Amino acid sequence: MNQKPVVKITSTPLDRCLDGISLFLLIAFFGITVFYYASLPETIPTHFNAVGEPDAYGHKASLFLLAGIALLIFLLLRYFQTKPHLYNYPTTITEENTQEQYTKAMRMMRVLNLTTLVILFYLQFQTIQTALGNAAGLGSYFIIFVIISGLLPLLFLLPSKKKQRIVK
Protein backbone atom coordinates (compact mmCIF):
# COMPACT_ATOMS: atom_id res chain seq x y z
CA MET A 1 0.00 0.00 0.00
CA ASN A 2 1.32 3.40 -1.00
CA GLN A 3 1.72 5.71 2.02
CA LYS A 4 0.76 9.34 1.48
CA PRO A 5 3.10 11.95 2.92
CA VAL A 6 2.12 13.58 6.20
CA VAL A 7 2.46 17.32 5.64
CA LYS A 8 1.43 20.23 7.87
CA ILE A 9 -0.97 22.47 5.94
CA THR A 10 -1.38 26.04 7.13
CA SER A 11 -4.95 27.28 7.20
CA THR A 12 -5.85 30.35 5.16
CA PRO A 13 -8.10 33.21 6.31
CA LEU A 14 -10.95 31.55 4.38
CA ASP A 15 -10.35 28.28 6.26
CA ARG A 16 -10.37 30.09 9.61
CA CYS A 17 -13.55 31.91 8.59
CA LEU A 18 -15.29 28.63 7.70
CA ASP A 19 -14.17 27.14 11.03
CA GLY A 20 -15.38 30.22 12.93
CA ILE A 21 -18.79 30.21 11.26
CA SER A 22 -19.16 26.49 11.99
CA LEU A 23 -18.27 26.99 15.66
CA PHE A 24 -20.63 29.96 15.94
CA LEU A 25 -23.43 27.92 14.35
CA LEU A 26 -22.83 25.04 16.77
CA ILE A 27 -23.00 27.40 19.75
CA ALA A 28 -26.16 29.01 18.33
CA PHE A 29 -27.59 25.49 17.84
CA PHE A 30 -27.31 24.76 21.54
CA GLY A 31 -28.39 28.31 22.38
CA ILE A 32 -31.74 28.13 20.56
CA THR A 33 -32.37 24.67 21.97
CA VAL A 34 -31.89 25.83 25.56
CA PHE A 35 -33.64 29.18 24.96
CA TYR A 36 -36.86 27.67 23.58
CA TYR A 37 -36.94 24.44 25.59
CA ALA A 38 -39.05 25.73 28.50
CA SER A 39 -41.68 27.29 26.22
CA LEU A 40 -42.17 24.16 24.08
CA PRO A 41 -45.08 21.76 24.54
CA GLU A 42 -44.17 18.32 25.87
CA THR A 43 -44.85 16.73 22.45
CA ILE A 44 -43.07 18.11 19.40
CA PRO A 45 -42.51 16.97 15.80
CA THR A 46 -39.63 14.49 15.57
CA HIS A 47 -39.85 13.50 11.91
CA PHE A 48 -40.91 15.18 8.68
CA ASN A 49 -42.01 13.64 5.39
CA ALA A 50 -40.53 14.46 1.97
CA VAL A 51 -42.84 17.45 1.61
CA GLY A 52 -41.62 18.86 4.94
CA GLU A 53 -44.76 18.14 6.97
CA PRO A 54 -44.47 16.59 10.45
CA ASP A 55 -45.45 12.93 10.46
CA ALA A 56 -44.12 11.70 13.83
CA TYR A 57 -44.09 13.21 17.30
CA GLY A 58 -42.11 12.68 20.49
CA HIS A 59 -40.94 14.29 23.72
CA LYS A 60 -39.33 17.72 23.54
CA ALA A 61 -36.13 16.32 25.07
CA SER A 62 -35.45 14.76 21.65
CA LEU A 63 -34.17 18.19 20.59
CA PHE A 64 -31.07 17.49 22.66
CA LEU A 65 -30.49 14.30 20.69
CA LEU A 66 -30.23 16.31 17.47
CA ALA A 67 -27.97 18.82 19.23
CA GLY A 68 -25.75 15.95 20.40
CA ILE A 69 -25.62 14.51 16.88
CA ALA A 70 -24.62 17.95 15.55
CA LEU A 71 -21.83 18.16 18.16
CA LEU A 72 -20.58 14.67 17.33
CA ILE A 73 -20.54 15.36 13.59
CA PHE A 74 -18.79 18.70 14.17
CA LEU A 75 -16.08 17.09 16.30
CA LEU A 76 -15.52 14.16 13.93
CA LEU A 77 -15.26 16.37 10.85
CA ARG A 78 -12.92 18.76 12.71
CA TYR A 79 -10.70 15.82 13.68
CA PHE A 80 -10.57 14.34 10.19
CA GLN A 81 -9.97 17.68 8.50
CA THR A 82 -6.55 17.62 10.19
CA LYS A 83 -5.74 14.18 8.70
CA PRO A 84 -5.74 14.68 4.91
CA HIS A 85 -3.20 11.88 4.45
CA LEU A 86 -5.94 9.41 5.42
CA TYR A 87 -8.32 10.42 2.62
CA ASN A 88 -8.83 8.71 -0.70
CA TYR A 89 -7.99 10.93 -3.66
CA PRO A 90 -9.02 10.74 -7.32
CA THR A 91 -5.38 11.25 -8.27
CA THR A 92 -2.04 9.91 -7.12
CA ILE A 93 -0.55 12.00 -4.33
CA THR A 94 3.03 13.02 -5.07
CA GLU A 95 5.47 15.45 -3.47
CA GLU A 96 4.54 18.00 -6.17
CA ASN A 97 0.76 17.94 -5.66
CA THR A 98 0.54 17.17 -1.93
CA GLN A 99 0.03 20.77 -0.83
CA GLU A 100 -2.72 21.47 -3.38
CA GLN A 101 -4.57 18.17 -2.90
CA TYR A 102 -4.45 18.30 0.89
CA THR A 103 -5.58 21.94 0.94
CA LYS A 104 -8.55 21.16 -1.33
CA ALA A 105 -9.52 18.11 0.70
CA MET A 106 -9.28 19.95 4.01
CA ARG A 107 -11.38 22.82 2.65
CA MET A 108 -13.93 20.30 1.40
CA MET A 109 -14.18 18.92 4.96
CA ARG A 110 -14.65 22.43 6.34
CA VAL A 111 -17.44 23.15 3.85
CA LEU A 112 -19.01 19.76 4.59
CA ASN A 113 -18.94 20.59 8.31
CA LEU A 114 -20.54 23.98 7.71
CA THR A 115 -23.25 22.72 5.34
CA THR A 116 -24.10 19.86 7.71
CA LEU A 117 -24.45 22.30 10.60
CA VAL A 118 -26.59 24.66 8.51
CA ILE A 119 -28.94 21.82 7.59
CA LEU A 120 -29.17 20.52 11.16
CA PHE A 121 -29.58 24.05 12.57
CA TYR A 122 -32.42 24.76 10.14
CA LEU A 123 -34.02 21.42 11.02
CA GLN A 124 -33.81 22.19 14.74
CA PHE A 125 -35.09 25.75 14.31
CA GLN A 126 -38.03 24.68 12.14
CA THR A 127 -38.88 21.85 14.53
CA ILE A 128 -39.05 24.39 17.35
CA GLN A 129 -41.10 26.84 15.27
CA THR A 130 -43.49 24.08 14.20
CA ALA A 131 -43.93 22.96 17.82
CA LEU A 132 -44.69 26.54 18.83
CA GLY A 133 -47.24 26.88 16.01
CA ASN A 134 -45.22 29.50 14.10
CA ALA A 135 -44.54 27.23 11.11
CA ALA A 136 -46.27 24.32 9.38
CA GLY A 137 -43.11 22.26 8.90
CA LEU A 138 -39.81 22.41 7.07
CA GLY A 139 -41.14 23.85 3.85
CA SER A 140 -41.45 22.17 0.49
CA TYR A 141 -37.98 23.17 -0.72
CA PHE A 142 -36.08 21.68 2.21
CA ILE A 143 -35.29 18.40 0.44
CA ILE A 144 -33.96 20.26 -2.63
CA PHE A 145 -31.80 22.44 -0.37
CA VAL A 146 -30.40 19.34 1.36
CA ILE A 147 -29.50 17.67 -1.95
CA ILE A 148 -27.80 20.78 -3.32
CA SER A 149 -25.99 21.39 -0.02
CA GLY A 150 -24.81 17.79 0.02
CA LEU A 151 -23.18 18.22 -3.39
CA LEU A 152 -21.58 21.59 -2.62
CA PRO A 153 -18.48 20.22 -0.80
CA LEU A 154 -17.66 18.05 -3.82
CA LEU A 155 -16.94 21.18 -5.87
CA PHE A 156 -13.70 21.53 -3.93
CA LEU A 157 -12.40 18.28 -5.36
CA LEU A 158 -12.78 19.29 -8.99
CA PRO A 159 -9.44 19.57 -10.76
CA SER A 160 -8.18 23.10 -11.00
CA LYS A 161 -7.74 24.52 -14.46
CA LYS A 162 -4.22 25.84 -14.52
CA LYS A 163 -3.17 27.76 -17.56
CA GLN A 164 -0.59 25.73 -19.37
CA ARG A 165 1.98 27.45 -21.44
CA ILE A 166 2.69 25.88 -24.78
CA VAL A 167 6.38 25.99 -25.55
CA LYS A 168 7.22 25.86 -29.24
Side-chain angles (χ1 to χ4, degrees):
M1 185 163 141
N2 190 6
Q3 289 291 336
K4 296 179 197 86
V6 178
V7 178
K8 174 88 171 129
I9 305 292
T10 346
S11 59
T12 66
L14 175 61
D15 295 332
R16 289 189 294 277
C17 183
L18 290 170
D19 289 341
I21 294 170
S22 294
L23 183 60
F24 173 78
L25 204 52
L26 183 67
I27 292 167
F29 196 110
F30 278 90
I32 66 157
T33 304
V34 170
F35 180 79
Y36 283 106
Y37 188 78
S39 60
L40 290 171
E42 290 299 313
T43 303
I44 63 166
T46 56
H47 190 270
F48 297 86
N49 62 22
V51 184
E53 300 163 340
D55 62 359
Y57 296 86
H59 193 270
K60 67 181 182 178
S62 62
L63 289 176
F64 289 105
L65 177 63
L66 188 59
I69 291 169
L71 176 63
L72 180 64
I73 289 172
F74 173 81
L75 292 174
L76 284 172
L77 289 175
R78 284 283 297 171
Y79 172 77
F80 283 112
Q81 84 185 26
T82 64
K83 309 283 186 213
H85 60 280
L86 299 177
Y87 305 168
N88 288 323
Y89 292 88
T91 184
T92 304
I93 301 298
T94 64
E95 291 296 326
E96 294 78 32
N97 69 3
T98 300
Q99 188 80 20
E100 179 186 6
Q101 292 297 322
Y102 284 9
T103 301
K104 279 183 177 181
M106 290 170 68
R107 183 150 311 135
M108 181 200 69
M109 292 297 277
R110 285 180 165 97
V111 171
L112 179 63
N113 205 353
L114 180 59
T115 55
T116 302
L117 284 171
V118 166
I119 291 168
L120 293 176
F121 181 86
Y122 179 79
L123 183 62
Q124 185 87 324
F125 183 76
Q126 284 303 107
T127 298
I128 290 168
Q129 294 306 308
T130 303
L132 292 173
N134 299 331
L138 299 178
S140 56
Y141 294 108
F142 178 70
I143 194 74
I144 296 168
F145 173 72
V146 169
I147 292 169
I148 291 170
S149 297
L151 296 174
L152 182 65
L154 296 177
L155 294 176
F156 289 92
L157 288 182
L158 293 175
S160 59
K161 304 285 185 195
K162 292 184 178 178
K163 292 182 181 179
Q164 296 181 359
R165 192 178 201 184
I166 300 174
V167 179
K168 292 185 181 182

